[in-house]
Amino acid sequence: MMRNWTKFALAGISALALSACDSLMPVDEAQSGDGEGTIELAEFPDRPYWGDTHLHTDNSIDAFGFGVRLGPEEALQFARGDTVTATTGAEAKLARPLDFLVIADHSDGLGATRRLYDAPRFLIQDETLLRWHDMMHESPEQSQLAIAELITAAANGDLPEALRDPEASEENTRDIWTTHLGTLDRYNTPGEFSAIAGFEWTLMPDGNNLHRVVMFRDGSDRTSQVLPFPGLSTTAEQLWDYMAAYAKDTGGQALAIPHNSNLSNGLMFEMTMPDGSPMTAAYAAKRAAAEPVVEVTQIKGDSETHPFLSPNDEMAGFGVKGWELGNLPLTAKTTDDMLAGSYVREALKRGLSLEEQLGANPYAFGMVGSTDSHTSLATGDEDNFWGKHTGNEPASEDRAVAAQNLGTRVGRFGWNYLAGGYAAAWARGNTRAEIFDAFQRREVYATTGPRMSVRVFGGFGFEDADWDGDWVRKGYSEGVPMGGELTSGADAPRFMISALKDPDGANLDRVQIVKGYLDSAGEMQEQVYDVVWSDMESRAVFGGKVPAVGDTVDREAATYTNDIGAAELRSVWTDPDFAEGQRAFYYVRVLEIPTPRWSLFDAVRFGITLSDEAMADSVAQERAYTSPIWLRPSA
């Protein structure tokens, strides 16, 4: 009987708390669909469209508990460039609007903490829920502690039944989802801004992060036929079956984006089936089809690689500090043997090995970045960082030095958070369908925040003289773009690479190619090549390395100058270590010159003193990672 009262309390408080919708905004057929046939499209993808595929609003169970009071409407307004008032009261605005946004609120307990907060206290019979209700009402600090407890309970499988019972929340979930889809349609403007449906599936066994963001291609006519799929009690394969059933039943399309693999303690990219048995070809193919891209960088660190895995890569330590300690709630420490299953470069190498054995590659994915912000504010800029959640928005002046392990244990600090990440999609126009299709074919790339324009084509006949002609047309007609595949023959592959600086940002230091391959013994190997860099005449290679670009950052003022570096770097590069019949991948990494991180901006703005470790990490080289191009032996 008590459980029924609790369920009633949580399920019955719903519509009153939903974000108000602007009834003056009419929705036409173009806005409510996938965008096909609504705008004129370019012959080839004409530019990178910038977006965030991983943003949380007050509909997320943890975001509301952390204190955010902005909903999907404010999130969309902010992303398209409007000024909004943040939860902590300050005005927030992007210097440059985004082109698309996926609001990825957690499917589990959608809106549950908001309902718990609004529920009459006398109706809440579960002691844990009652304590969390009281903590959320007591203070922002206590609310954050309550959500820290909730996350730990989810990791340990100890959530109260009312938060785990799908029947109790289905009606409310449907109300929230339907309202959300209508909001997306109102802000979706083909050719200008794409508001894309999605959610976050949150499997977290023992606190190890196996989350995915599910992204839909379609408008509300199709997405309204399903509900977000719960994650705490399901498996990744069941999620892929849900997506396949959605496609079969509605004619629509969906894909999943694994994220934050650096906190998975080795479980995200295993060499086996989840139960430890040998991986099957069917499972590998199923995963590859469902998950064409992966989130490589976000607020909770960078998952490209780790110095332990890539000891010869001098740029391998970006975004690692604090996050290598353990899983998300720090209920399990990370050991060196776990790292290979937690980082993307190693996963790409593992994919080559599995493909050799099985004939299918489960880890043939492209790369994107996103924020994972729980503030409803999709900010990826160092000088405009609004924090992971409301507890470390700029109103918290000591956020860079405060302990930030969800308020329960010391180990991570504010400065360990990155300012975010963004996804860039090479598309023919800005519609839901075109953005989704770019993700599906992996013609996408990740940045740690800056909006540098990066393009790469792989083939066998590219030459330096191609830059003088229509090199983009030649790239598509005689080669493949990022995300594509080449068949290995007798000739070494050649790559046509172009990188332009963020017009509002820092100059470029260098362009690199990261190659992963199987050697003649079938062992996984990697090599990082410096392809082209600024001031190549004065920065001649010495001892096999390119000298550092320099550092113009003024630590006292949190400023830098573009007196070093280059505005544009491009080259046609041939693999000097190619072996006929080799199985390999190649992706481009672009590095900016050193610039201040958000923690240094905070130190100057608020007059705080960073620790020696934080100060040493307060300047960094922001970067971009393209999706790979794969080289596969002929059959």
Side-chain angles (χ1 to χ4, degrees), residues 51-362:
D52 185 358
T53 59
H54 190 176
L55 180 71
H56 294 270
T57 75
D58 66 357
N59 279 329
S60 280
I61 191 170
D62 51 355
F64 184 90
F66 283 137
V68 70
R69 296 298 182 264
L70 304 185
E73 191 133 7
E74 292 91 345
L76 292 159
Q77 290 169 352
F78 180 81
R80 72 177 186 182
D82 297 347
T83 300
V84 303
T85 301
T87 296
T88 48
E91 287 191 347
K93 181 179 173 65
L94 285 174
R96 292 169 289 178
L98 295 177
D99 299 306
F100 63 91
L101 179 68
V102 179
I103 294 175
D105 284 315
H106 296 290
S107 57
D108 289 283
L110 191 67
T113 43
R114 184 173 58 188
R115 300 195 304 277
L116 177 60
Y117 182 90
D118 290 336
R121 191 176 187 278
F122 73 91
L123 288 179
I124 304 172
Q125 301 297 317
D126 183 278
E127 292 183 2
T128 300
L129 291 177
L130 183 60
R131 183 162 53 81
W132 290 345
H133 172 277
D134 292 344
M135 291 171 73
M136 285 195 291
H137 280 272
E138 181 177 337
S139 69
E141 293 76 20
Q142 285 297 307
S143 185
Q144 291 169 35
L145 286 173
I147 298 309
E149 290 185 16
L150 188 153
I151 291 173
T152 300
N156 295 333
D158 294 331
L159 280 175
E161 183 185 350
L163 295 181
R164 291 183 286 110
D165 190 326
E167 290 185 17
S169 60
E170 181 175 346
E171 181 179 351
N172 189 76
T173 296
R174 188 173 300 280
D175 287 342
I176 293 176
W177 181 242
T178 301
T179 300
H180 176 63
L181 296 178
T183 303
L184 292 176
D185 284 348
R186 284 193 304 280
Y187 284 88
N188 184 56
T189 310
E192 297 178 12
F193 181 79
S194 293
I196 300 173
F199 63 86
E200 183 174 5
W201 177 84
T202 51
L203 180 65
M204 195 167 63
D206 300 320
N208 302 315
N209 191 321
L210 296 179
H211 299 185
R212 271 84 165 170
V213 167
V214 174
M215 174 179 172
F216 293 95
R217 186 181 192 266
D218 315 295
S220 56
D221 57 332
R222 291 187 169 119
T223 53
S224 62
Q225 298 180 45
V226 295
L227 292 179
F229 190 66
L232 291 176
S233 58
T234 59
T235 66
E237 196 161 9
Q238 288 173 319
L239 174 68
W240 306 333
D241 290 340
Y242 159 88
M243 293 160 54
Y246 167 79
K248 179 180 179 181
D249 294 343
T250 70
Q253 296 182 51
L255 58 82
I257 307 173
H259 75 81
N260 224 146
S261 56
N262 60 333
L263 296 179
S264 72
N265 270 353
L267 298 183
M268 184 65 86
F269 307 122
E270 295 180 290
M271 294 288 284
T272 65
M273 300 288 280
D275 63 2
S277 62
M279 187 177 292
T280 66
Y283 181 90
K286 190 174 186 178
R287 178 163 183 168
E291 300 181 350
V293 297
V294 66
E295 181 187 283
V296 69
T297 192
Q298 60 135 278
I299 283 176
K300 296 197 298 294
D302 191 276
S303 301
E304 185 217 2
T305 191
H306 187 283
F308 178 83
L309 302 171
S310 303
N312 297 321
D313 181 358
E314 58 188 322
M315 304 294 181
F318 181 83
V320 167
K321 287 186 173 65
W323 305 108
E324 80 277 33
L325 299 174
N327 57 14
L328 178 59
L330 281 180
T331 54
K333 292 183 178 180
T334 297
T335 56
D336 288 345
D337 61 307
M338 298 175 179
L339 295 174
S342 295
Y343 286 86
V344 170
R345 186 188 300 178
E346 196 70 18
L348 290 166
K349 289 157 56 180
R350 286 182 164 194
L352 298 179
S353 180
L354 289 166
E355 185 178 47
E356 180 114 309
Q357 301 169 44
L358 305 174
N361 184 347

Side-chain angles (χ1 to χ4, degrees), residues 39-42 46 49 191 427-431 434-435:
I39 63 172
E40 184 177 351
L41 300 176
D46 61 342
Y49 291 89
R428 297 179 300 164
N430 190 358
T431 67
E434 286 296 313
I435 299 298

